[in-house]
Amino acid sequence: MNQADIIVFDKTGTITDGILSVNGIYTDNYFEEEFLSLLASLESKSEHPIAKAIINFSKTKNINLKSLNNFEAKPGKGLKGKFDNDFILAGNESYMKENNVDLSIMLKRLRTNSNDSSSIIFLAINGAAKGFVTVNDSIKSNAAEVIKELKQNNLESVLLTGDNFNVAKRVSDTVGISKFEAGVLPENKSSVVKNFKAKIKKLLWWVME
């Protein structure tokens, strides 16, 4: 480590505990049970920590899963599938916009409830947004202490995450990291590291997931 200038930390499971939980749910004139059933049915086909949090939450509500077909996953963004004649989408804001889903009502609700520190997963049916869940992750108890010690040793810390800007900023501010990269897809993380390497002579890339 004494040969490094920068340490790049992955967020989930490194700076945070990686044990996510659903801390909020909102549906726009749609039955919550049906909403959760469709969302959990899609997420049950994913191994992502957010998916596991949604599945665990649905179990506490005794939600029955549906049999979906035409399943597709876009890593770092979202999932899609078909139930009966309905096309179901679940994912982040970027994924919804890619699929031309209007999120104006959802985003207004988010601003009203100040969920800036949570990851947001939206659900859309046939192109219409039906609601969202907010998912939170706790920060490791020793994370701030580690970052402080690195600073004392003239090492710069960078947070790298696929999560949104607000979540990245909240985590960074909490542990004392001054620089972060948000919304980075899994397949693009190595490119971010290469960009850092091109600007400096030395780099330590540290990922613990």
Side-chain angles (χ1 to χ4, degrees):
M1 289 179 66
N2 66 345
Q3 297 180 5
D5 291 314
I6 296 178
I7 298 182
V8 183
F9 289 94
D10 191 54
K11 179 180 72 68
T12 304
T14 306
I15 297 297
T16 68
D17 289 314
I19 304 174
L20 284 71
S21 60
V22 173
N23 63 339
I25 180 171
Y26 169 76
T27 60
D28 182 34
N29 297 319
Y30 198 73
F31 292 111
E32 184 175 301
E33 184 175 341
E34 181 70 6
F35 172 88
L36 283 174
S37 180
L38 289 171
L39 179 60
S41 297
L42 265 182
E43 298 292 349
S44 67
K45 299 182 179 297
S46 171
E47 293 295 323
H48 195 280
I50 288 179
K52 293 179 181 179
I54 292 171
I55 294 300
N56 290 336
F57 180 76
S58 69
K59 287 179 180 179
T60 67
K61 300 288 187 178
N62 297 314
I63 299 298
N64 294 319
L65 300 185
K66 301 180 183 297
S67 178
L68 302 178
N69 51 45
N70 296 80
F71 176 78
E72 293 180 27
K74 192 165 186 179
K77 291 202 171 185
L79 312 165
K80 66 173 61 175
K82 190 176 180 181
F83 175 69
D84 288 342
N85 293 317
D86 294 326
F87 291 94
I88 316 298
L89 293 174
N92 59 25
E93 182 178 349
S94 174
Y95 189 62
M96 293 292 130
K97 289 182 177 179
E98 280 183 15
N99 288 275
N100 300 313
V101 176
D102 181 6
L103 293 178
S104 55
I105 294 176
M106 303 297 148
L107 296 176
K108 182 178 179 180
R109 177 72 181 193
L110 279 168
R111 287 193 293 270
T112 302
N113 287 273
S114 300
N115 286 308
D116 287 349
S117 64
S118 299
S119 301
I120 316 297
I121 299 299
F122 299 94
L123 180 78
I125 302 175
N126 295 326
K130 296 300 180 181
F132 60 82
V133 295
T134 57
V135 181
N136 216 351
D137 189 4
S138 58
I139 296 173
K140 286 185 176 179
S141 58
N142 66 336
E145 181 182 348
V146 169
I147 300 304
K148 181 180 179 180
E149 185 172 344
L150 291 173
K151 283 183 179 179
Q152 291 172 345
N153 286 278
N154 299 316
L155 286 165
E156 182 181 7
S157 297
V158 177
L159 183 71
L160 190 61
T161 177
D163 224 320
N164 64 60
F165 177 91
N166 291 327
V167 173
K169 187 176 189 309
R170 190 264 304 184
V171 173
S172 297
D173 289 348
T174 301
V175 301
I177 293 177
S178 59
K179 184 179 294 184
F180 61 85
E181 296 276 348
V184 183
L185 296 176
E187 64 268 25
N188 294 335
K189 287 186 176 181
S190 62
S191 296
V192 174
V193 176
K194 289 178 181 178
N195 288 337
F196 278 117
K197 284 184 176 181
K199 295 176 182 179
I200 61 175
K201 295 179 180 179
K202 299 169 289 184
L203 170 73
L204 173 60
W205 167 235
W206 189 2
V207 180
M208 292 184 293
E209 296 180 297

